[in-house]
Structure formats: structure tokens, C-alpha cells
Amino acid sequence: MSTMQCAPKRVNPFTDVLAGTSATWSEQCEMPVVAQFSAKDIEIAAKLGMIDLSWRLRAGCKGPGSAAWLEAAGIPVPGQPNSCIQTQEGAVIARLGRNEFLIEDAADAIMTRRLNETAAPVGAYAVLRQDAELMLTGSHLNHLLLQTCSFDFAGVDHSMMPAIMTTMVGVGITAVVVPAPRKIEGFALRFWFDSSYADYMWSTLCEIAGELDGGPVGIAILN
Amino acid sequence: MSRLAHIPGEWIDRTQEISFTFEGQQHKGFAGDSISAALWARGLRTLGRSFKYHRRRGVLSLANHDVNTLVQAGDRPNVRADIEEIAAGGSYTAVNTHGGVAKDRASLIGFFSRFLPVGFYYKVANSRWLFPFWEALIRNMSGLGVIHFDRPVVKTAKRYAFCDVLVIGGGPSGLAAALSAAEAGASVMLAEENPRLGGSGFYQLGNDPARRAVVKSLVDRVTSHANIEVRLGSYAAAYYADYWVPLVDGNKMIKVRARSVIVAAGAYEQPAVFRNNDLPGVMMGSAAQRLVYRYAVQPAKTMVVLTANDDGYRVALDMIAAGVNLAAIVDLRAQDTDANLLQSLRSQGVECLLSCCVYEAHAGQEGTLSGVTCCPLNADGEPILAQQRFLSCDGLAMSVGWAPALNLLYQAGTSMSFQDSTQQFIPERLPQGVFAAGRVNGLYALDKKIEDGQYAGRQAAAFLSLSAELGHAPAAERFSPSHPWPIISHPSGKNFIDFDEDLQLKDFETAVLEGFDNIELLKRFSTNGMGPSQGKHSNMNALRILARLMGKSPQQVGTTTARPFFHPVPMSILAGRGFSPDRRTPLHARHEALGAVWMAAGVWQRPEYYAKPGKTRTECIAAEVAAVRSGLGLIDVGTLGKLEVRGPDAGEFLERVYTMRYAKLNVGATRYAIMCDESGVVIDDGVVARLTPELFYFTTTTSGAATVYRELSRLNTIWKLNVGLVNVTGARSAVNIAGARCREVLSKLCDLDFSIEGFPYLAVREGLVAGIPARLMRVGFVGEWSYEIHVPAEYGARLWDAIMETEPSIVPFGVEAQRLLRLEKGHVIVGQDTDGLTNPFDIGADWAVKFDKPYFVGKRSLKMITEKPARQRLIGFKLQSGFTGAAPQECHLIIEAGEIIGRITSIGFSAAVGAHIGLAFVPPTHTEPGQILSIRRSDGSVVQAEVVTRPFYDPKDLRQKEESSEAAA
């Protein structure tokens, strides 16, 4: 018997829709991701950039013991449902309900490892998270949101870091408003959605962003 | 030419002269001119033709409701000439003419009007023999503009907008309301359908500059206020729940979600009804004022003003100021006239005829207005014909009353009452957070409109807890702005109520005589209010006529239902940019590379089959089936719903949800699952796998995942069991590897024990497949030894590649092959072999219903069903082995003695059986093997089929047994 036990590379949910583009690819956390679409990435991101963050490692947990599980793993727990915390390193802990959490690592992959290494207490269980994730940036961001989403992001108190569950172009998303990457001014929107909608979401947002002088931007801009 | 010297606030830009054509003739206007205004300035009076009788029509309202002057503008049909700005090089043609607007041959229809009575459309439909003739004639004659199917598709973006207070209407009351709310701290959006603010405040002046200055001041304050966003050229098309209002501008729809709404939409001026009240030259008083103040166009050389309110006197003063020779002012009233206005006109030598009416208008040689016949009114309001008097004029301005624009308030759920003092409906009880201001409240004087707007703004601010100060609503009007009966009968008719549909007074009288004496019935039978203007100029008069004929009050008659949209919205804007999400599995690109032909499965895209060069669809599917039966096949089943239920009560939860038992299901085992609704109807099925004592993983149908998850979440909210539900449909990819050699392939990728003892039929195991953490279930849906392998979505493509690389001969198969394979096993597909009435007994799943459980959803109904005679049963059938010709199809009917007794739910040709096989619903009396069924095909021919036992293939399940499998391998 010959078995293959070595874990393969993760597949980026946007791989199919990006096939054929002349982007420069890199690899993050065992997943291919576009580092740069063009030399104009920064310019585009300042107007309306779409950055793929799906490569980040994430984990979910649910159940009445889930907050205790996070605490035991040394992960900060957002106090209120539908709120989130972003660590200095860029990790996000979102409380999606009273007893449901999404933990997403920064590039260091510390939090998810800590959670996996900590035994789940009674009443807590892991939830498989395979989300696609995008970050939207730029001065035209609100124009795109007003075309695609019925939620009033302009009315959000960003300092409270709410985790907003709404729909965008007909797809359910969980979104948080965060400070934009340092090369870009203002705020950015990070949102997670079911990766089976990745092609549709990317194509639709690209079309609208294109009309607003925006488009896809590689992750090199985050550095 | 009737262009006036510069008018303060005029909309035209005299520095930009624009050339355009109308009906092939070259014309010139100024930028800002509407098509109608530019043509009127050029002296043209016939701008369009009426819908039915093709009568000449000109300017009526100049307020976006002149539906008899629709034009074709290039490839844009039905453009409203009364408000559409002329474009340089624009080419406009009147719609609905035969031979041009000037000499429309179809105007001959008018001579046959007595043969076209009210309800004509319905009456001709009664004659079976004549209907084709009338249908062809009506289709040929009717219709407006021409649709150009080659017009480029323009994706009009929709967008959302948010505000504290949405004010609808930019007239004096709307302006005041916006300011009042904004000053209290509210973020305000002000929507105005015209390209400029001010509304009637800039044209109903009575030649009084002070009135204009008041409104100008309001406009200046609004446009400079930081809290107010003004949206010009945007009309509020509807009102939906929770302050949701779609604003439509020239390019798109804006979905406004406000926290409060103020409707200050104003009122539509109403026509007087008299013979020939539609001649070009007869227009609303406000239309004449719009011509003057917006476009600097003199409406006529000599005018008569027909009035019943103070507005008419202001029209007269405005016309005099515009250099019009005023022949007379004809007032339907004997009193209640503003003494100052009356004196002002008399002092200028204008003859004021009180208690007098226009009995008839007359056409000159050009077919346009040449004069009117006036009569005094007697005490009963009837014209005294013996005292007729002819007044020569080329213009008649009607200002006899108003109908408030209440449509949005009705849609918001406002209850209205008819106010006799103003002769209009006004809001009696407004929904919370919705407010009204101005004419919709029955207030017409400029100061009252402003005062009422301020009050509405304060109310909205208080509703939003921005302010506590309310103040008082203004007092009601002293005199009615609307006449209760501005309708004059005439033996020769042509006194039009509805200009859209050419409905005359006698049409309403006839309709009521024929029994259509309810306002909704009258509307449908007469078609009143069903034209493009949606009754904005006709509903009020129709209501008055019905009330008088029935001896009722307007309140008792009531109004028709105001439905969205209250103003026609272009289809392109309604359609907008389409958001139709489609889901793709992580294997999409693999399927594409293999030649997948796609089919929609709910919102998913799935391979129907894989196309092969030189092979037909049927051949491709047959080859895929054969590969599974004789070799190895691989199918993407990632679209199945995939749920987890966790917790100490997970087994109990599933016991309640499904018809079978799960509380004692062994860890490592799976079981088929049928889900019913409360009425016992089968709504979903799948496989439940127990992974740990407190963790069940289960599948649902592809289209059922979201619905099932929602329903289970709802049920547990009620049951409060100690469980948690997780929907991992999109988080897991899944494939099914099927065929006798599947163990051999998996053994190369996985360390699990695949022996029949180590991994028996219907078992579930977790392990690494190609290094990927996986859940494997041994299933038999397609009738061969097979495993479903579920992995995290980000590894789905890696798993597929690993299997394909390990066994290059494996054949991917699509949904159609899978359907045929399961049909051979006689397995049911929920949704295809069941419908909205099918219970488990109908499909032979009695064994899956465990009545000895304390409870499961649908148990009570199913118990009752068992006590009644069976209605239908799903049976297997096959056609004769040598059958040739077109096979019956799904949904073809089974007939006996001319009656329908059943229908086919699935059918296909089975190479394994050597015949067409299928499933069908039949009465319980027709389930015995060997019975013959008659199936009627689409062409009416009948095919015989024989009832047979299921499954058709491998009835003893030998393919799931080791010996058989090994033999096949």
C-alpha cells in the first residue's frame, strides 16, 4: 500500500476566476495568492481596491463554552455579540452571536494554533471555516457599498468594531470596518463569505469597481 | 413664434440654441426647453394623437402626465414630450399615428365611436367567431412607441441611500419641511421630480414677485444647508414597509432607507369636463403658468380662464403679465372668490363671469381651439342653454380643482377621509414615522403650505427624538380649492374624463347602468385610470360621477387601490444591474477542462454530463453509466447540503426531525433519512452519519440545504434542546467514487481499513485521504460499491486530482448519469419523484416511518394518512424491450378510459436492463407487477408499459457484497 500523508497546498477560492491574469503570485500560509496585479496597485487601492485575504488561517467555534475556550487559549474575547477585536498583528476575533466566534490569524498563524492545541471545554466545539475573504479600500469604497449592499456602513461607529452580518450582491457576508492598510487613507472593509460564491463575488465586484476606477490589488500593498 | 422676453427663473438657456426635428420637420429651441414647450413656442398646437379616437392633442398639464404627447426619440419609445428636454440633433416622432400627427388617417375611428362603447374590449371577446377579427384589428391599431430590440443593453446600476428624513416633493411645503427637520439635526434627503426646486412656488404667482421671493429664499436655504441632500430629477415611485422608498431618476433607481418620511407631493390639477375639452389649446391653468415661467412661452394669443378657485384668478393675472389677451374669466362659483383678486382683474378690464360654465369648445380649421361657448348656471348647476355666448379664443386655461398626490401615503397604509370643505381626501391617520405636508393635507395657500411643511419637519424630528417642540398645524383652508362638480353634460358627448383612454362622460353612465357600480369594477370595465397617467387626471372626476349616479358621497364610493409603482418606471431601470448569485464547487475548473455541459441545480452549477467529441449527449451519458457499472466513476457531490448537529441532545434532535431513529445509531454508522413537514409531505432526504456520541454529520438535497438549516434552527428555537447546528455546505467539498475497484484506488491514498468488516456498507470513517482530513461514507445510491469523501473545501481540487492521478482510467460522470444509475436501483429523488403532496407511503418508504417514536415532525398527519385509503403509489415500469420511437418523458400522463390516473416522474433507457425504465405515480389498484399502463405522449399517441418490481438492477444488492464486487473487479 502506498499512501500519501503529506498535507497538500491549500487552493485559493479565487484561483479559477484569476486564471489567465498576468498577476504576480506568491504564497501565504500554504495558499497561493496574488502579490501584485500591476504596478498601479497602490494607485488603484487608493480609489477602490479589492484585496484577497482568503489565504489567512481561520477557525470557528460555537456553543455555550466557546468563550471559555478562547479564554483558555489566551485569545481575547469580544464582549458583545456582533462585535470584533483586531489585534496589533492584524488578527481578528469576531463574535458572531452570543456563542459563536470566528478567529482569523494574521500571517503569524498563532491564534488558530493555540485554539487547536487547547482542549475544548464542555459545550464548545470547533466549526470548520473555509471562507473566502476580501478587503475593500479607497476613497470610492462607499460608492461601491451603496450599489451592492443594503446596509448603511456610513452610519457605523467604527470605534466599536461591529461585526456586521448582511448581504452583498445577494450573498451573505460578515463584515468589519477596520483601519485601511498604512499605504492607504481612511477605512477599509474586510468581509467573509461562503467560498462557493467566490467566482460570482469577484466578477461582480470587479465589474462595479471598474466603473468606479477601482479593481483588484495584490497583497503586497499590505506590507 | 410665441417666445416671451426673459422671465426671472426661466429654465431655458437662451445662449444655447438647439436644432431638432419633429415629424421630420426642422425646429429650433433653447437648451432647457421640453419638446412640447419648444414646439409650442414654434406655434405648433397638435403635438400628438389620442389613444383610441386619434383626436388631436396638445399641452394639457406639462407636468409629466401628458400621455397623449408621447414621442419616439430614436430608439427610445414613449418619451414624455411635456418634460423631456430637447437634445441637439434630436429626432422626435409622435407615437400611435397612421400617416403622421398632422394627418392621422386613424382619426376616422372617431366617426365610428358609437360602435365602440365602453367595455368594448370585453364585449368583442364574447364572440368566438368575431374575436380573431377584432383581435387582429385591435393589435394592429393599438400600441404606442416602437421597441428597438437591437438597442444596446445598458446595465443601470441600482444603489442604496440612507437618511434620517426623506422629504418627497421640493415645493414650498417640502422645502419648509426639509429645513425644519434639518435644523433639528436630522440628515435630510429631499427628492424633487423636476430638475429644479420650488415647485408651484415659482409659477403660481398671480404676477406677484413677493410670492416668488419667499420661495426663492427657501430654496437658497435648503441648497446651502449642510444636513440636506437634494436629489433633483428623482421621483419617489413607491412606498414600501419600514420607510423604504425607491427614487427613480433618468438613469437608475435609488433605494432609500429612511428613518422617517414626509410626503409633500402636492396635487394634480384636474380638468373640467365639457364637450371638446381635449382640443389643442385647452390646458390646465398650471400648464399655462409653466409655459410662461419655466419656458418663457406665451400659451395663446387670446385666452379664457375657466376656474372655480383662487388659483384660476392668479392664472389670469399671470397670463395678462405674459401679454395674453384675456377674453374673460369664467367662474363656476357664484361666491367664495377672493375679493382682492376679483377686484384686481376687474380693474384691468377683465370680464369676470360668475356662476357660469364653458359648455362647449370649438375647433377651427386647423382642428385646434378657436373659441368656447359659455352658459350661466342655474341653481341646480345646470347650464342655461338659452343664454349661450361665444367667446373667441385660441387658449383656455382650466383651474377648477385638484387631486392630491396621495398615492405614496396610501401605499404607506394611511387611512383617508373625504373632506367636504376642500373636496378632497386627506390623511386621517398616518402610520408612525410618516408625515404629510401641504396640498396632500388640503392646504393650498402659500403661507399655509410653508407653515404645514415646518410642522411636518418638526413632527419628523420629534419622532426621531431630535426635538421635542411640535407647535401647531395650520388652520384649514377657508374656501375649497376644488369644485364638487366641474362636469357639464352634452348631448353630443366628447366631454372627456380620461384623456389616456378617450373615456367620455357617457361611458361612465353606461358602465354604471351595466352594473359596474363599484369603483374598482368601474375602473376595470371602463379602463379609467389604466393608461400611462394612471388616472391622475381622471380618477377624481370618475369618483364624483359614480358617487352622483349611485347617490353616495365620495367617502362612501372610496378610491381604487394605490399600488406601486404610481408612475411608470422604465423596464431598464427596474431590471437594473442583475445580482443573481451562482455557486460553484471547488471542482468547477476541473469539470470545465473535462468538457462539462452545465446545468443549474438550485443556485449551483453542476455538470450535466461531459461532452466528448463526436458523441451525442445520450451517448456520452450512456458511456458514463457504463463506466460506473463496469469500471470506476467519479462524481462531484459537493453541492449536497452538509450539516452538523452537536451536543448531548443531538440524537434526540434528529429523532424529532426525521422519520427514522437516530438516538441509538452506532458511532461510525450512517442511516438514510427522510424529512417531512407537519402535513406529512416529504420535503427532503439525505444520509445521517454519527461521528461521535455527540456529533452527527448529515447531508440534505442540493436545493434543500439552506431551507433545511433554517427550518432546523427554527425548530430548535422552539424545542430548546442542548444542541448546536452548523451549516458546512460551502465549507466542505465532496466526491463520490463508485465502482467495483474503488477500494483499490482509495487504498493507495488512505490508510483506512477498507475491508468489509473494517468499513461495512453504510459505515462512516474519518481519516486522511491523500493527506487531506476526510470523512468517508460508504453509500449505495448509484448501485455500486462506492464512497462519498467529504473534505475541507480548500482541498477539494487536490482530492480530485489525487484520485484522477492515482487511477487515470476513472471516468467522471455527471448528474444525468447519476440519475439513471439511481433509477436502475429504483431510488427516489426528492423533488423529482415527489411533489408538494407526496408522503412517505406514496413512494414506498413505509419502512422509514417509525411511529413508535414519541414524536417527529409530521407524525400526527402521517398517522391520519394511514387511516385513509391510499391515493397513489410510486411504481416501477418498463417499456417493451424492443421499443423504438420517441420514448415518453417525465410528466407524461398515464391514462385509463380517457381519464388521467397517474404520471411519470422518472424515465430513461437502461442498458443494464435493456429497456426504458421509469417510475410513475399510479392508483393503488395499478401496482401489481405485470399490469399494463397506457402512457400518453405529447403528440397524443399512447405507449404501453408494464408494471415491474423495483429495483430494476441488482435486486439482491449483490454489488454491495464482497464476492460480487471482487468478481466484477
Side-chain angles (χ1 to χ4, degrees):
Chain A
M1 190 198 311
S2 144
T3 57
M4 195 168 76
Q5 293 295 337
C6 183
K9 303 280 188 203
R10 300 157 69 207
V11 177
N12 188 308
F14 297 110
T15 302
D16 293 352
V17 75
L18 291 175
T21 56
S22 58
T24 307
W25 289 79
S26 65
E27 189 175 293
Q28 292 284 329
C29 298
E30 302 288 309
M31 182 183 277
V33 61
V34 173
Q36 189 182 51
F37 279 90
S38 77
K40 292 184 173 176
D41 272 12
I42 292 182
E43 195 180 314
I44 291 170
K47 288 176 180 166
L48 182 51
M50 288 168 52
I51 306 165
D52 172 17
L53 297 182
S54 307
W55 55 272
R56 291 184 173 227
L57 291 173
R58 55 190 71 82
C61 63
K62 199 171 176 182
S66 51
W69 190 9
L70 295 188
E71 282 166 2
I75 298 171
V77 179
Q80 298 297 319
N82 301 330
S83 67
C84 72
I85 293 169
Q86 180 168 281
T87 66
Q88 276 190 327
E89 295 75 27
V92 169
I93 303 100
R95 189 166 196 160
L96 307 178
R98 203 171 53 163
N99 297 319
E100 185 174 1
F101 296 88
L102 163 67
I103 299 97
E104 181 175 279
D105 269 321
D108 53 16
I110 290 172
M111 300 241 185
T112 50
R113 196 178 67 230
R114 268 200 241 147
L115 192 69
N116 289 334
E117 288 170 355
T118 307
V122 174
Y125 48 90
V127 173
L128 179 66
R129 301 294 313 212
Q130 295 281 292
D131 312 61
E133 182 186 358
L134 288 172
M135 175 187 273
L136 301 176
T137 63
S139 55
H140 296 176
L141 170 58
N142 203 44
H143 295 296
L144 178 133
L145 293 176
L146 288 174
Q147 284 194 40
T148 57
C149 187
S150 62
F151 184 83
D152 182 13
F153 284 95
V156 170
D157 181 353
H158 304 324
S159 65
M160 300 300 289
M161 291 282 288
I164 299 150
M165 274 159 269
T166 181
T167 60
M168 179 182 281
V169 295
V171 176
I173 63 165
T174 299
V176 295
V177 179
V178 296
R182 61 185 173 80
K183 294 176 185 170
I184 307 158
E185 291 183 348
F187 287 92
L189 186 83
R190 287 173 66 167
F191 63 98
W192 296 264
F193 57 98
D194 191 314
S195 56
S196 59
Y197 291 108
D199 278 35
Y200 163 75
M201 180 69 83
W202 185 272
S203 309
T204 308
L205 291 188
C206 267
E207 183 181 319
I208 299 168
E211 294 168 8
L212 297 167
D213 300 327
V217 171
I219 60 164
I221 200 165
L222 301 174
N223 299 326
Chain B
M1 290 290 290
S2 51
R3 190 72 74 174
L4 299 167
H6 176 78
I7 300 282
E10 66 186 18
W11 288 9
I12 55 172
D13 177 359
R14 293 175 193 253
T15 65
Q16 287 190 59
E17 199 171 60
I18 285 180
S19 295
F20 66 99
T21 64
F22 178 68
E23 297 277 297
Q25 297 293 311
Q26 195 76 27
H27 295 279
K28 285 184 178 173
F30 293 119
D33 259 331
S34 74
I35 299 167
S36 292
L39 294 173
W40 207 263
R42 301 279 295 173
L44 265 73
R45 292 294 176 264
T46 303
L47 307 183
R49 290 283 178 165
S50 71
F51 181 70
K52 188 173 172 186
Y53 299 133
H54 290 251
R55 288 170 66 88
R56 292 173 183 272
R57 296 277 160 88
V59 165
L60 177 65
S61 73
L62 222 64
N64 205 4
H65 309 305
D66 287 4
V67 299
N68 294 140
T69 58
L70 301 180
V71 295
Q72 183 84 24
D75 58 5
R76 295 167 57 214
N78 306 329
V79 169
R80 297 193 176 208
D82 60 333
I83 54 119
E84 176 84 2
E85 274 188 36
I86 53 170
S91 174
Y92 310 109
T93 313
V95 303
N96 190 35
T97 69
H98 295 252
V101 73
K103 295 178 179 174
D104 185 357
R105 294 188 300 274
S107 59
L108 290 171
I109 295 171
F111 294 110
F112 303 99
S113 61
R114 56 193 293 246
F115 301 111
L116 304 171
V118 64
F120 166 75
Y121 306 104
Y122 303 107
K123 287 168 182 165
V124 297
N126 279 338
S127 168
R128 184 179 168 187
W129 305 111
L130 285 174
F131 182 73
F133 164 77
W134 284 113
E135 184 191 17
L137 185 68
I138 291 169
R139 283 190 189 282
N140 185 42
M141 293 298 297
S142 62
L144 299 172
V146 178
I147 295 172
H148 288 245
F149 292 101
D150 55 351
R151 190 181 177 201
V153 174
V154 179
K155 287 184 180 176
T156 54
K158 293 176 186 173
R159 56 164 291 185
Y160 297 91
F162 307 91
C163 60
D164 289 335
V165 181
L166 172 65
V167 179
I168 298 166
S173 49
L175 292 165
L179 275 172
S180 177
E183 281 165 5
S187 67
V188 177
M189 182 179 286
L190 174 60
E192 165 57 42
E193 71 168 309
N194 288 295
R196 298 191 189 196
L197 289 173
S200 62
F202 281 151
Y203 60 81
Q204 287 195 302
L205 299 180
N207 193 28
D208 180 0
R211 291 169 68 91
R212 186 175 186 283
V214 169
V215 180
K216 175 78 167 52
S217 165
L218 284 174
V219 170
D220 290 344
R221 287 170 61 201
V222 162
T223 50
S224 61
H225 202 294
N227 282 8
I228 302 176
E229 178 189 349
V230 176
R231 299 206 72 87
L232 295 173
S234 303
Y235 60 87
Y239 180 98
Y240 296 99
D242 299 328
Y243 321 110
W244 194 112
V245 176
L247 295 185
V248 177
D249 65 21
N251 302 311
K252 63 183 176 304
M253 177 183 289
I254 301 172
K255 304 171 187 178
V256 180
R257 177 75 74 185
R259 295 173 61 211
S260 173
V261 174
I262 298 174
V263 178
Y268 314 113
E269 189 153 40
Q270 300 294 292
V273 178
F274 53 86
R275 177 167 164 76
N276 292 333
N277 59 344
D278 62 333
L279 290 178
V282 180
M283 65 182 77
M284 306 293 184
S286 52
Q289 289 170 310
R290 287 186 178 97
L291 273 174
V292 171
Y293 288 109
R294 289 182 173 174
Y295 305 108
V297 174
Q298 193 179 52
K301 296 292 178 202
T302 303
M303 288 190 91
V304 169
V305 174
L306 170 62
T307 189
N309 55 31
D310 292 347
D311 294 320
Y313 285 79
R314 277 189 281 273
V315 171
L317 290 165
D318 286 330
M319 293 306 108
I320 293 168
V324 175
N325 173 35
L326 206 62
I329 184 161
V330 178
D331 194 333
L332 294 173
R333 304 168 300 174
Q335 51 194 18
D336 293 348
T337 309
D338 184 305
N340 291 333
L341 290 170
L342 187 61
Q343 181 54 37
S344 174
L345 282 168
R346 281 184 169 153
S347 68
Q348 295 183 63
V350 176
E351 186 178 14
C352 299
L353 305 170
L354 300 183
S355 192
C356 199
C357 72
V358 170
Y359 178 64
E360 184 176 359
H362 303 276
Q365 283 188 335
E366 297 296 316
T368 59
L369 183 68
S370 62
V372 295
T373 297
C374 298
C375 293
L377 294 167
N378 64 20
D380 296 328
E382 300 293 333
I384 304 169
L385 299 181
Q387 296 177 33
Q388 288 185 24
R389 180 178 163 195
F390 179 81
L391 295 171
S392 179
C393 60
D394 62 340
L396 173 71
M398 303 176 285
S399 192
V400 295
W402 303 84
L406 296 172
N407 313 56
L408 300 177
L409 288 170
Y410 272 116
Q411 289 168 23
T414 307
S415 63
M416 306 282 180
S417 66
F418 190 81
Q419 191 178 52
D420 288 327
S421 62
T422 53
Q423 283 296 307
Q424 73 172 58
F425 285 92
I426 61 165
E428 187 177 51
R429 195 172 60 254
L430 286 157
Q432 217 179 27
V434 177
F435 306 96
R439 297 192 199 206
V440 290
N441 269 344
L443 297 165
Y444 285 74
L446 180 60
D447 57 343
K448 286 183 187 292
K449 285 193 288 190
I450 293 171
E451 198 183 335
D452 199 36
Q454 290 165 339
Y455 179 63
R458 288 195 299 270
Q459 284 181 303
F463 173 74
L464 298 173
S465 304
L466 297 169
S467 158
E469 183 199 357
L470 271 183
H472 301 285
E477 291 286 353
R478 211 154 52 90
F479 301 127
S480 172
S482 298
H483 195 276
W485 189 253
I487 298 164
I488 303 298
S489 185
H490 194 290
S492 300
K494 298 293 188 289
N495 39 6
F496 291 97
I497 308 292
D498 188 307
F499 289 65
D500 295 21
E501 306 278 337
D502 279 352
L503 296 172
Q504 308 164 58
L505 176 58
K506 70 176 181 185
D507 291 328
F508 289 81
E509 294 165 344
T510 305
V512 172
L513 276 175
E514 292 190 35
F516 298 94
D517 54 4
N518 169 286
I519 191 72
E520 296 282 8
L521 292 176
L522 182 69
K523 171 182 171 175
R524 269 81 190 174
F525 184 67
S526 67
T527 68
N528 176 63
M530 291 168 69
S533 79
Q534 293 284 283
K536 292 179 178 66
H537 295 137
S538 60
N539 281 349
M540 198 61 223
N541 279 335
L543 189 154
R544 288 190 173 106
I545 293 164
L546 181 59
R548 180 167 284 204
L549 290 172
M550 299 302 296
K552 293 180 176 176
S553 69
Q555 177 74 38
Q556 289 170 312
V557 169
T559 57
T560 54
T561 305
R563 295 186 178 87
F565 293 110
F566 95 91
H567 187 82
V569 178
M571 296 295 280
S572 59
I573 286 178
L574 277 180
R577 188 196 297 277
F579 291 143
S580 304
D582 77 89
R583 302 181 78 172
R584 296 178 177 190
T585 73
L587 307 176
H588 193 89
R590 267 66 179 170
H591 303 318
E592 188 78 46
L594 289 163
V597 175
W598 297 100
M599 60 177 282
V603 290
W604 292 92
Q605 291 292 313
R606 297 194 71 186
E608 183 187 4
Y609 65 97
Y610 298 89
K612 302 288 181 208
K615 288 193 174 179
T616 65
R617 173 182 179 276
T618 306
E619 289 168 345
C620 290
I621 295 167
E624 291 171 17
V625 170
V628 176
R629 289 280 178 249
S630 61
L632 271 177
L634 186 65
I635 183 170
D636 179 0
V637 292
T639 60
L640 287 173
K642 296 176 274 299
L643 307 180
E644 288 175 354
V645 58
R646 291 174 179 258
D649 295 337
E652 167 67 15
F653 180 78
L654 292 173
E655 292 261 320
R656 297 188 190 188
V657 166
Y658 288 111
T659 59
M660 290 177 76
R661 292 193 201 89
Y662 300 94
K664 293 182 180 172
L665 181 67
N666 290 331
V667 170
T670 70
R671 185 167 290 160
Y672 180 63
I674 288 184
M675 185 181 290
C676 291
D677 65 11
E678 289 288 2
S679 60
V681 168
V682 176
I683 55 171
D684 205 80
D685 71 346
V687 172
V688 172
R690 190 167 207 168
L691 296 170
T692 73
E694 293 191 4
L695 169 58
F696 290 84
Y697 178 63
F698 59 105
T699 59
T700 74
T701 57
T702 291
S703 55
T707 317
V708 168
Y709 178 69
R710 261 201 311 274
E711 175 62 3
L712 299 195
S713 301
R714 187 188 73 85
L715 288 173
N716 199 44
T717 307
I718 298 166
W719 295 338
K720 295 184 171 49
L721 293 173
N722 187 2
V723 295
L725 272 167
V726 183
N727 185 353
V728 290
T729 299
R732 286 196 174 274
S733 175
V735 297
N736 184 357
I737 179 168
R741 290 174 47 237
C742 61
R743 282 190 296 171
E744 185 187 316
V745 175
L746 285 181
S747 296
K748 295 176 184 172
L749 296 167
C750 180
D751 281 339
L752 285 174
D753 175 5
F754 287 101
S755 71
I756 198 155
E757 296 80 19
F759 202 150
Y761 184 46
L762 301 182
V764 60
R765 299 286 183 269
E766 290 186 281
L768 293 174
V769 180
I772 303 163
R775 289 172 178 171
L776 296 92
M777 290 188 278
R778 204 181 139 205
V779 293
F781 188 56
V782 297
E784 299 296 335
W785 198 296
S786 60
Y787 299 90
E788 265 185 28
I789 310 168
H790 296 230
V791 298
E794 62 192 9
Y795 295 120
R798 303 289 185 218
L799 174 69
W800 178 275
D801 293 345
I803 294 173
M804 295 293 280
E805 284 162 14
T806 303
E807 181 52 66
S809 68
I810 199 165
V811 173
F813 63 103
V815 174
E816 277 306 316
Q818 187 192 37
R819 282 182 178 168
L820 193 53
L821 289 161
R822 68 84 208 180
L823 176 60
E824 289 178 338
K825 281 300 288 179
H827 290 151
V828 168
I829 295 179
V830 172
Q832 177 170 329
D833 299 305
T834 67
D835 59 25
L837 295 172
T838 306
N839 62 57
F841 311 123
D842 292 338
I843 56 173
D846 312 43
W847 55 273
V849 180
K850 306 301 179 189
F851 281 123
D852 53 352
K853 290 196 292 184
Y855 171 80
F856 62 88
V857 176
K859 179 183 175 185
R860 188 164 173 270
S861 299
L862 289 173
K863 197 80 182 165
M864 291 164 69
I865 287 168
T866 60
E867 292 162 6
K868 292 179 179 174
R871 192 172 56 91
Q872 60 179 0
R873 287 290 181 262
L874 193 72
I875 51 95
F877 70 86
K878 71 172 186 177
L879 306 186
Q880 285 179 334
S881 291
F883 175 81
T884 55
Q889 295 170 6
E890 285 150 14
C891 284
H892 275 174
L893 301 174
I894 298 166
I895 307 291
E896 186 176 85
E899 296 294 321
I900 298 168
I901 61 164
R903 65 180 173 85
I904 295 176
T905 62
S906 295
I907 188 168
F909 180 78
S910 166
V913 178
H916 283 88
I917 58 171
L919 301 175
F921 277 120
V922 294
T925 51
H926 290 64
T927 58
E928 283 301 314
Q931 281 185 287
I932 301 299
L933 305 173
S934 297
I935 302 166
R936 190 170 68 193
R937 293 183 290 193
S938 298
D939 63 0
S941 62
V942 172
V943 173
Q944 304 291 320
E946 179 189 346
V947 177
V948 295
T949 53
R950 289 187 286 162
F952 303 92
Y953 172 78
D954 186 23
K956 294 183 178 173
D957 280 341
L958 296 175
R959 306 292 286 180
Q960 304 302 337
K961 296 187 170 70
E962 202 148 37
E963 300 77 15
S964 170
S965 175
E966 281 170 357

